Every structure is written in structure tokens, then in C-alpha cells.
Amino acid sequence: MREVFRGTGILLHVPALMALLSLPIAWWFDQLGGIWPLLMTAGVAVALGQALVFLGRGAKTFHRYQSMQIAAFSWTLIALIGALPFWLGAQMPPTSALFESISGFTSTGLTIIAAPSELPAYLQWWRSLTQWVGGIGVILLLIAVLPAERGALNLYFSEAREEKILPTVKATVRMIWLIYIGYTVAGILLLWLVGEPLWRAINHGMTAIATGGFTITDDSLASTPTLVRLAYLPLMIFGAISFLVHYRLLVERQTPAQLWRFDEIRILVWVLLLGAALLIGQHWIAGRSEETVSLIFMWVSAVTTAGFATESLMSWSDAALLLLLVAVLMGGMAGSTSGGLKLLRVGILLKDLAGQLREFRASAHEVVMVRHNAERVTPKAMGELGRIAARLVGVFMLLWLLSVFVILHFLPAGTPLAYVFFETASALFNSGLSSGLVGPELPAAAVVVLSVLMLLGRLEIFPLLVLFAWAFGGRVMRRA
Amino acid sequence: MYLVIIGAGPVGNSLVERALEAGHTAAVVEPDATLAQECAEQHDVLVLEMAISAETAAAESHLADADAVIATTADDSTNLMAMLLAQEAGVERRTSTVNQHSHMAIFRRLGVRVLADPERLVAENLLDMTER
């Protein structure tokens, strides 16, 4: 347990640093009322962090399940600490403050605040910063902690075996930080150049690359001109592309043609193109009048799980909502800032299916192979990967149904079921698109349910399950 | 051309590679599971994990549609069987390696174009190069 305490304790210094870095914002905007909440936040974070590091003295190197525990522990505690500025600074109720913080650190983007434009600037900044840090955090989490599909993931790295990767992890992580910062700065400049006011460009640039979706406007991006909308598209898409791909492109100087061999990239391109066409077609058939650019924007926002909105989904038909829901479920690439099941798993499951079909069609003695990332793999090996992916998809789906069942008890009677499904998926798959249920009037119990879903979804469920297993099952087993 | 190649050993594998480069399509018949698997992993060809003498081998390899049949195994009886089956299926071009020098005549009588004793050819080439 020492290892977990130590790891979590060290990570708790992150929100402390974030709070201290936010002090200049409060000062710059002359909001001295923000100094205290931020200092308190930093103080609590450092105290708690140091206490945990002290408890964890003498820790040895940690194992995989411990790193999962650290991920679950630290993400939860960091989100709790991140709620302090909202609670102390804006006197939000604790559940709402926590919701906003979790939505930030999981880079989901659902918001309970009716008018973000009226928040003090330091809190607007704090929301954006939580998403920005949460965005890179989840990439590093994947590289360092979650080895569920290491086999498939290794392909991004160096096509070497696992032991070869580990020494390069540190250097890779540093480069990925630099790439992330570079994209953020470029994104902010781009938004500023197309005419977003500077403060908005800074905040939205950060939440766009993190595929978070918090805005400092009251209607998300519904009142932005077409050119500005177009400028958001590359930012969201870059955020949804695996940063290991960015790494290969920028550091290893691989050409896009070389990267085209990865199934996941091809799937991303096809999903973006065909899905947008499908959405536009569906709206055209239904005889609706949304602008094409706006529909493309909504599709990209759903696939990348950014969750910016240029349209109010309340006026959309159920069929159109369902299309968006499919995009939200799939999400972006593994190793990106986006949520969802990840296209890596979608690709593996499709290839597994293709292998199965080819085996049906093959003659009795034919040796069947499936193409996967430009290699020829036996359907059996594909099936192994497919099993891992299917297991996670199954758990996600069960959890989704369970959460719909639970949350229905807290919502007012007559809430459309489609909206309930959409909103829970938006939380669980860290999208942030909203059918309008999440808002200041959402009952506190439902707020808590959605908060838990966001955390579970971001950590891809298993680390938190490991934590539960430790908290309940583990102790019983040790006693026996 | 559509080639049916018997054997996925070193000779068979190199042959598949060259044939694909030259733009032909091919099927490979190889009873050894490991060799068949390796061949399928490396090349985009139809690989059948079975002996050419198996009952359905001619059907599964679409032998009747083949433009040529090439036997590459180190076992002359397998090669001979392949050549006979090819003749039965009406394949015009039949080529085989022959490992025992004394079997050459049998193959020739069947109208097979023969590469005699590949190992001996390599040995002779090596000696030639050394003496020159």
C-alpha cells in the first residue's frame, strides 16, 4: 500500500501547482476574492499530498495493479481538490462543485453552471485548466498505467517488444508534453486569428485540444460565425488523434503514408467522412434547415468527444440523436485526449469479425489470415485481442444500462428516455454534448450519478474496479 | 498466370515471392502446419495446409484452373504425385525439382520440365566459382 500512497501523494501536487499558476489570473483580472480559494486549494493539496508521501515512505517500485490503484485514487482525490475553488470561490453546492471539477479533469465538458460567462475569470480559467491537464493526464495514464491492450498499442511505439519501450518512456512522455503545449499554443493563435476574443481563444484553445468542451460562453459555440467553427475542427481532430501518432509524425519524422497502415487512423478518417455525410444526409431527408458546417461541426465534436455544440440538441429528432450517440460511443483514438470506447477497439472488433467471416468462407484446409496494421495475423491472434476489447465494451454497456436505470429514479417524471440514454452516455464516454438534462435544475442525486460515470469512463472502469476490489474483497481475502 | 506450388520450404517460399513480384497469383500446398502458417503470414497467397495426395487437394487448390504446377519438395514421390495430378487435371506446364538423379528419366517421360537435384546444382556452381 505504501507505493500507492506515495504515488498518489506525489500526483496531488499537480492541483496545488495548478492553483498557484492560477493566482496571476485572479490578480490580472483584479479579482482578489479569488486569491483565498486558490491558496486554500493549493494548501489542502500540498498538505494531503505530503501526508500521503509521508505514509508511503520506504516504498519500493510498484506493480501494475498498484499503478491502477494510483490512477483511481489520484484522479478521485484530484477531482475532489479541484472542486474547492468552485465551492469556496463561487459558493456552489458541494455536489455541483464536484461535478464541475470531475467534468473538468475527465475532460468531459458537461456543465451545471447556467451562465459560464458570468463566472469570475479565475474560475473560467480554472475550468479550462482542469480540462487541459486532464487531457494530457489521460494520455500519460494510458502510456504509463493501462496496459489492457499493450500488444496493440505497442504498434504505435517502436514495433519493439515491451521491455524495449520502458527505458524510452520518460523521453517519450517529455516529448508528448512538448507536443501538447505546442498544439495548444498553435490552437490559441489560430482561434485568435479567426476572430475569437483573446480570453476566449485562450480558454477554448485549451479545452479544444483536450477535447474537453468547457466554454466561457453561455450557449457553447452556437453563436459563433462559420469561419470560427471551421477553426475548431482541426483542434478537436488533433486532440482525438493518438499522441503516439503525433510523436511518430513530429519526432520520428514518419510520413502520413507510413502511418496510414494503422487500422485505427483509417477508421478515424472514414468515421469522420462517412459519418458526417450520413448526418447531413439524414437531416436533408428529414427536411431540416441546419447549416452543413454546423452539422459537420457537431459530428466532429461527437466523434472526438469534445462536446462543443453549435446546435441545441433539444430540437433534434431521435434518429439524429442516435447517430450522434454512435459517434460518442466510439470516440477517438486510444492514446488521445478523447473518450469513448476508442476506435482501436472498434477496429479490433471489426477485424475479429472479418476473420470469423473469412474462416466461414475458407475451404477446409485453407490457412486464413487477417490484415491488421499491414501485418498478416491469424484469426486466433485477432480473436485474443478481440476478446479483451469485447470484455471492456461489455462492461461499458452494462454500466450504461445500470446508470440509466439508477438515474431514472432521480429525474422528473416524463423525461424523454432518449435524453436519459444520451446524457448518461455523454457522461460515461466523456463527451460533454448535452440534450439539455444537465443544468442548474438537475437533482443532486443525479448529479452524483453522472459524476461517478465520468470518472469510471475516463479511467476505463478497471482501475476503479481494482480499487473497489481492494476496498471490499481484498481485505476479506487477506483475513482468510 | 495462376501457379499452384507444392511445398512451402525455402525453394517454395522464394518461388512464391518471385511469382508475386512478377504479378502472378499463386496457391501453395504444404502439409506442415508451421511452414504453411509462416508462408501465409509472409505472402498474400492462398495457402492450403494439406498433402497434395489428399483427396480434396486438387479441388481446393483449383488445380484444373492452374496455368502451371511447380513441385518444390525434397521428396520425389510427392513431386511425382503432384505431376501426375497436374497431368490428370490437364495442366500444360508442369515443372518439378528432382532430388534423386536416377528419377530424372521417370519425370521426363511424363513430359515434366525438370530441375535436377538442386543441391547438386548449388554445389557445382560453388566449385565452378572457386576454380575460376
Side-chain angles (χ1 to χ4, degrees), chain A residues 360-410:
Chain A
F360 283 145
R361 207 193 58 187
S363 70
H365 298 87
E366 188 176 337
V367 182
V368 178
M369 289 284 157
V370 196
R371 272 186 175 281
H372 177 53
N373 295 335
E375 277 178 53
R376 300 165 62 78
V377 184
T378 58
K380 195 166 163 247
M382 212 58 239
E384 289 286 311
L385 291 174
R387 197 166 50 87
I388 299 171
R391 191 194 294 152
L392 194 90
V393 172
V395 173
F396 257 114
M397 292 300 145
L398 277 178
L399 194 65
W400 186 22
L401 288 180
L402 183 70
S403 66
V404 169
F405 175 77
V406 170
I407 209 168
L408 276 173
H409 294 88
F410 304 121

Side-chain angles (χ1 to χ4, degrees), chain A residues 98-117:
Chain A
L98 189 60
F99 182 93
E100 209 65 19
S101 171
I102 290 181
S103 181
F105 278 108
T106 58
S107 66
T108 304
L110 286 170
T111 185
I112 223 159
I113 295 168
S117 64

